[in-house]
Amino acid sequence: MEKTIERYVKFSPDYFVPGRPQVELYLLELKKEMDIMVKKIDLLEVHQRKLMGQGLGSCSLAQLQGLETQIEKSLRIIRSRKAELYADQLLKLKEKERELLDQRRRLREEEIRETLVRPMLPVTLHTGKDETGSACRMSKHSSEVETDLFIGFPATRL
């Protein structure tokens, strides 16, 4: 067991030496790629500042016209998207309006059915003769009229 460990310690540095140049090359490639990305980021930041109207002093007439064209194209795209959103919102609101009108119509129909089907409320009637001589009259508590039917002469009514 000890001999195995000694051989491992003795030969282990040799195995990692050939791999070191590959790791160093890989790190160099990553560093180059990082430098390229940093340059691209810097160019994009400069371009963004120009689009925002900053740092235009060094621009030529052709560059300014190119920026103007690009901004106008962007505005058309933005306005088109805004119009789409407004149209979608309008459709949703019209659908909501239709739903509310349908709901209103259903509620009115239900209310009408309830008033037609609803049993008549009891009305307190006073029988007997009043000042005018009529046999019955309507109570003040209801607007519905209920009449009694009597067969015979008026004198026989009680």
Side-chain angles (χ1 to χ4, degrees), residues 76-94:
R76 279 192 300 273
I77 293 170
I78 290 168
R79 288 178 179 148
S80 172
R81 177 66 180 140
K82 190 170 105 176
E84 287 176 15
L85 290 175
Y86 280 147
D88 290 345
Q89 189 176 19
L90 183 64
L91 288 174
K92 288 177 184 177
L93 288 173
K94 284 184 178 184

Side-chain angles (χ1 to χ4, degrees), residues 95-131:
E95 179 63 30
K96 177 96 174 174
E97 178 187 27
R98 271 188 244 116
E99 290 173 5
L100 289 173
L101 288 173
D102 287 344
Q103 182 181 11
R104 181 179 178 196
R105 182 187 46 78
R106 285 191 308 270
L107 288 173
R108 282 191 177 185
E109 288 174 357
E110 185 178 313
E111 182 182 2
I112 290 171
R113 266 189 257 117
E114 284 179 4
T115 57
L116 292 176
V117 175
R118 184 183 330 145
M120 296 186 111
L121 295 175
V123 178
T124 308
L125 295 177
H126 302 283
T127 56
K129 294 185 180 179
D130 60 358
E131 308 85 38

Side-chain angles (χ1 to χ4, degrees), residues 7-21:
R7 274 189 288 150
Y8 174 75
V9 172
K10 181 180 175 184
F11 291 113
S12 63
D14 293 337
Y15 288 108
F16 294 113
V17 171
R20 283 187 185 165

Side-chain angles (χ1 to χ4, degrees), residues 57-74:
S58 64
C59 292
S60 68
L61 183 61
Q63 288 174 329
L64 290 174
Q65 287 174 340
L67 283 172
E68 182 181 22
T69 304
Q70 192 173 14
I71 289 171
E72 287 173 353
K73 181 180 177 183
S74 295

Side-chain angles (χ1 to χ4, degrees), residues 11-64:
F11 291 113
S12 63
D14 293 337
Y15 288 108
F16 294 113
V17 171
R20 283 187 185 165
Q22 291 177 352
V23 171
E24 289 177 11
L25 287 175
Y26 180 69
L27 288 175
L28 285 174
E29 288 177 24
L30 286 178
K31 189 172 181 176
K32 286 178 186 178
E33 187 177 341
M34 184 181 72
D35 290 339
I36 292 170
M37 291 295 165
V38 167
K39 288 177 184 176
K40 284 183 180 180
I41 289 171
D42 289 340
L43 288 174
L44 287 172
E45 286 175 348
V46 167
H47 187 67
Q48 180 185 12
R49 281 194 296 272
K50 287 180 181 179
L51 285 174
M52 299 300 289
Q54 301 170 353
L56 298 176
S58 64
C59 292
S60 68
L61 183 61
Q63 288 174 329
L64 290 174

